[in-house]
Amino acid sequence: MPVNIAFLGLGAIGTPMARHLAIPDFSLAVWNRTAEKTAAFAAAHPARAATTPADAARGATFVVTCLPTSREVEALLDGPDGLLAGMARGALLIDCTSGDPATSQRIAARCAERGIGFIDAPVSGGVGGAENGKLTIMVGGDAALLERAMPVLKAMGEKIVHCGTVGAGDALKAVNNALLAVHIWSAAEGLLALARAGVKPAVALDVINASSGRSNSSMNLFPERVLTRAFPRTFRLALLDKDVMIAAQVARDEKVPSPLIQLTAELFRAAHGALGEEADHVEAVKYLEQMAGGEIQ
Ligand code: NDP
């Protein structure tokens, strides 16, 4: 018998993740705030289009959420159409949002009151990783709940790592993305300075990528997205801004001196403000280019 599962949040990464659950092992219900996306998904895949979060969750053993922030997940819990109205005792909420530890802990406590399990399970690997089922999934929560969730997580990801108690996955994801932000920003500063000094960005990247300054940003993002001026929209700058803010908060909460992460949070907040909600994360480079009066190409 297929296991009943619900997926809520058919965004840029949620949609390809949900596709891996539309398989004979599962009986899938999907829900998205904008109903057209729910209908389009259900028309293209073996899935039921649910009308509310409660409708999606009713009868489900597993409910997977993938929304912008933990705030939106928390807001889906309550009311007659909310998740908690639909989820049964013994069900498990798997939150793949890149969330924040404190809100995840609150959500876990609300779920526990009803006998519902919760794990935070943010992902890395981008839209490409989601499409080919090769995401890394970092999990916070009870090890026994992770064990139960494994068939679901294995359908969407390749590397599944237990990071600690509830919120640990969120914290690790946020720090990873703060490093991504540092790498993007510092590479942009360096390449702009080198261009002024007469070194072409392609030449600079060729050397850096054979040397110790290389990163995923220098090896992939800059050659494929910046030098080409393609800037495809795969992961919104607004979401990276949110992730660096979470990392900055984690560092402050833990009383770790973190001037670089705090500054990076400020820079990405400013870039997000200047470039708007739909800009891609790599477009933060454009914000620095505007300030510098030059382009990396
Ligand atoms: P998108 O902005 O593409 O999609 C967001 C989704 O959340 C949409 O389905 C949207 O619905 C829904 N949503 C937004 N606000 C609400 C709300 N108030 N109530 C209910 N649903 C809402 O985001 P992504 O898919 O890119 O990202 C989702 C999560 O995954 C984020 O936490 C992000 O940080 C993380 N992530 C993203 C990666 C990427 O490469 N894109 C990589 C790794 C992690 P609607 O269609 O109605 O707008």
Side-chain angles (χ1 to χ4, degrees):
M1 279 291 283
V3 174
N4 287 338
I5 186 163
F7 193 101
L8 293 88
L10 299 171
I13 200 157
T15 301
M17 287 167 68
R19 276 192 201 117
H20 292 289
L21 303 177
I23 55 173
D25 295 6
F26 299 117
S27 175
L28 175 65
V30 290
W31 178 84
N32 191 67
R33 178 181 63 174
T34 303
E36 288 75 20
K37 285 195 205 165
T38 316
F41 188 97
H45 306 90
R48 174 173 73 85
T51 52
T52 62
D55 177 36
R58 207 153 281 131
T61 304
F62 300 105
V63 174
V64 185
T65 41
C66 190
L67 301 181
T69 75
S70 297
R71 256 195 327 275
E72 285 85 28
V73 180
E74 193 172 33
L76 279 199
L77 296 180
D78 294 310
D81 292 338
L83 271 181
L84 293 179
M87 289 182 79
R89 284 188 89 75
L92 176 57
L93 177 55
I94 302 170
D95 185 18
C96 291
T97 305
S98 300
D100 71 88
T103 311
S104 284
Q105 285 153 12
R106 258 197 330 266
I107 295 171
R110 295 285 317 283
C111 288
E113 286 165 11
R114 308 242 181 166
I116 295 166
F118 175 89
I119 55 175
D120 51 302
V123 306
S124 68
V127 171
E131 278 166 354
N132 58 29
K134 292 202 184 315
L135 290 171
T136 294
I137 309 184
M138 47 214 100
V139 177
D142 193 85
L145 293 179
L146 166 57
E147 204 47 48
R148 266 178 58 201
M150 220 31 128
V152 179
L153 301 177
K154 281 276 183 205
M156 302 185 292
E158 192 171 54
K159 185 176 173 77
I160 321 290
V161 181
H162 188 211
C163 306
T165 55
V166 170
D170 290 336
L172 177 43
K173 172 68 191 176
V175 169
N176 176 74
N177 279 20
L179 299 183
L180 164 67
V182 167
H183 293 158
I184 290 173
W185 195 275
S186 56
E189 286 184 4
L191 292 175
L192 279 164
L194 284 169
R196 289 264 171 90
V199 183
K200 286 194 169 62
V203 171
L205 284 171
D206 188 34
V207 171
I208 289 166
N209 288 337
S211 309
S212 51
R214 68 182 179 269
S215 64
N216 180 57
S217 296
S218 69
M219 294 182 79
N220 297 304
L221 298 180
F222 276 74
E224 292 166 13
R225 300 178 177 215
V226 179
L227 264 55
T228 59
R229 310 309 287 175
F231 293 105
R233 292 187 164 176
T234 60
F235 174 47
R236 291 188 300 122
L237 175 59
L239 295 172
L240 184 55
D241 170 21
K242 170 261 307 181
D243 291 332
V244 187
M245 295 274 282
I246 294 170
Q249 185 65 49
V250 169
R252 286 197 302 274
D253 288 348
E254 301 304 335
K255 309 216 173 348
V256 171
S258 53
L260 186 52
I261 292 180
Q262 305 301 328
L263 175 60
T264 306
E266 272 176 42
L267 294 169
F268 276 76
R269 167 66 21 127
H272 169 196
L275 298 171
E277 291 308 306
E278 297 310 318
D280 185 71
H281 66 303
V282 181
E283 292 185 76
V285 170
K286 290 184 182 170
Y287 179 65
L288 185 62
E289 288 177 335
Q290 282 162 17
M291 290 197 279
E295 274 189 3
I296 300 168
Q297 57 174 331

